[in-house]
C-alpha cells in the first residue's frame, strides 16, 4: 500500500469516526432534558425579575411582557450593598481560613498519617452530627458575652468551624489519590517536605482544592440559621436580607426574584470561573 492509499484510508477512518461521534444518543437527549429541568427554576426567577409586580403575579403566568429594570432599582434602594459585602467578607475569609487549616490537616491524615487517624476523622465528622438548633442557645450566650453579637466576625468563626470538617474529608480523599512515591522521589532528589508539597503535591490536587473551596463558598453563602439568630442589621447577610421581601400582606415576586438573582450571581460566577478545575476535582480519582 503506497502513501496515497494510506492517506485515503486514514481520511476515511477519520470521517467514519466523526460520523460515529455525531450519532444520535437517546441518553444525551435525556441528559439535556434533565439539565434544562434543573435550570428552568433559575431561568424563571431571572425572567420574573424583569417583570412588573402585576405581571409577575398573574395566573396563568404572563410570557409576553415589557422588560423593566425597576425591580433591580428597588433592590438597590432597599440597601442590598451592606448585606452583599457582609456575605462576601464572611464567605471569602472563612473559606480561606478553612483551606489554610484543612489542606495541611488532610495531608497529615493521608500521605503523612498520624497516630489514631481514624479517631481524628471521626472527631471531625462528629461535629456535623449535632443539629445546629441544639447549639444555638449556648452559641448565642457565648457570642453575646464576648461582644460579637451582630458582628460579622462571629459568622466568620462559625462558618470556618462549619466547613472545616467537610474540607478535611474532601481534601483527604484527593490526597489519597496521589501516589506516595512522589514524595519519596522528591526527597531523594534533595527537596524538603515543604518544597515537595508546594511544587509536587499541591499542583496535582489543585482541582480538588478548587472543588473544596467552591463547596465551602456555597455552604457559607447560603447559611441562614446562624445569620438570622446572631445578626440584626450591621452583620446582616444575603439570606437574611432576602427575608425582608416577604411582607405580611404577601410576597412581592418580581422584586424578590431580582434580589434572589443578585444573591445567586456571585456563586454562579465563582462556579463559572472555576468550572474546569471543578469538573476535574469532582471526578478526581474516578478513572484509574
Amino acid at each position: 500500500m503506497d502513501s496515497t492509499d494510506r492517506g485515503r484510508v486514514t481520511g476515511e477512518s477519520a470521517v467514519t469516526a466523526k460520523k460515529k461521534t455525531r450519532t444520535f444518543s437517546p441518553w444525551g437527549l435525556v441528559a439535556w432534558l434533565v439539565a434544562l429541568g434543573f435550570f428552568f427554576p433559575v431561568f424563571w426567577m431571572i425572567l420574573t425579575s424583569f417583570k412588573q409586580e402585576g405581571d409577575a403575579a398573574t395566573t396563568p403566568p404572563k410570557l409576553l411582557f415589557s422588560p423593566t429594570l425597576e425591580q433591580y432599582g428597588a433592590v438597590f434602594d432597599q440597601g442590598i450593598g451592606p448585606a452583599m459585602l457582609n456575605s462576601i467578607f464572611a464567605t471569602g475569609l472563612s473559606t480561606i481560613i478553612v483551606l489554610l487549616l484543612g489542606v495541611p490537616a488532610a495531608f497529615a491524615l493521608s500521605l503523612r498519617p498520624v497516630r489514631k487517624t481514624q479517631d481524628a476523622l471521626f472527631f471531625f465528622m462528629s461535629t456535623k452530627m449535632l443539629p445546629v438548633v441544639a447549639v444555638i442557645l449556648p452559641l448565642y450566650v457565648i457570642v453575646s458575652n464576648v461582644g460579637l453579637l451582630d458582628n460579622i466576625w462571629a459568622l466568620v468563626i462559625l462558618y470556618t468551624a462549619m466547613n472545616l470538617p467537610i474540607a478535611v474529608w474532601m481534601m483527604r480523599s484527593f490526597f489519597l489519590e496521589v501516589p506516595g512515591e512522589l514524595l519519596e522521589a522528591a526527597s531523594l532528589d534533595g527537596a524538603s517536605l515543604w518544597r515537595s508539597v508546594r511544587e509536587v503535591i499541591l499542583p496535582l490536587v489543585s482541582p480538588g482544592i478548587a472543588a473544596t473551596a467552591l463547596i465551602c463558598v456555597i455552604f457559607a453563602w447560603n447559611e441562614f440559621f446562624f445569620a438570622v439568630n446572631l445578626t440584626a442589621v450591621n452583620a446582616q447577610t444575603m439570606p437574611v436580607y432576602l427575608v425582608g421581601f416577604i411582607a405580611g400582606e404577601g410576597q412581592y415576586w418580581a422584586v424578590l426574584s431580582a434580589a434572589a438573582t443578585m444573591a445567586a450571581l456571585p456563586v454562579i460566577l465563582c462556579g463559572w470561573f472555576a468550572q474546569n478545575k471543578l469538573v476535574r476535582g469532582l471526578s478526581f480519582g474516578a478513572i484509574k
Side-chain angles (χ1 to χ4, degrees), residues 31-66:
W32 273 102
L33 293 176
V34 172
L36 291 176
F38 278 107
F39 179 73
F40 181 77
V42 179
F43 168 76
W44 192 256
M45 175 185 71
I46 298 174
L47 189 68
T48 305
S49 67
F50 292 100
K51 294 181 178 181
Q52 298 284 353
E53 287 295 343
D55 296 332
T58 58
T59 303
K62 182 181 290 186
L63 298 178
L64 299 178
F65 60 92
S66 298

Side-chain angles (χ1 to χ4, degrees), residues 56-124:
T58 58
T59 303
K62 182 181 290 186
L63 298 178
L64 299 178
F65 60 92
S66 298
T68 178
L69 295 176
E70 180 180 340
Q71 311 308 329
Y72 288 95
V75 169
F76 283 100
D77 291 339
Q78 295 191 29
I80 191 177
M84 180 72 75
L85 292 177
N86 286 334
S87 287
I88 293 174
F89 180 80
T91 300
L93 185 58
S94 65
T95 301
I96 293 174
I97 297 174
V98 165
L99 293 179
L100 292 177
L101 297 177
V103 172
F107 174 79
L109 295 172
S110 55
L111 295 178
R112 290 297 178 91
V114 296
R115 293 181 59 187
K116 298 184 177 180
T117 297
Q118 296 301 323
D119 294 341
L121 290 173
F122 178 77
F123 169 75
F124 284 132

Side-chain angles (χ1 to χ4, degrees), residues 82-98 151-163 213 216-223 226-227 231 234-239:
M84 180 72 75
L85 292 177
N86 286 334
S87 287
I88 293 174
F89 180 80
T91 300
L93 185 58
S94 65
T95 301
I96 293 174
I97 297 174
V98 165
N151 192 308
I152 195 62
W153 286 102
L155 295 183
V156 171
I157 297 172
L158 290 174
Y159 292 170
T160 302
M162 175 183 70
N163 287 328
C216 293
V217 166
I218 292 174
F219 285 168
W221 186 270
N222 294 332
E223 199 283 323
F226 288 142
T231 67
N234 296 328
Q236 186 184 62
T237 58
M238 285 302 300

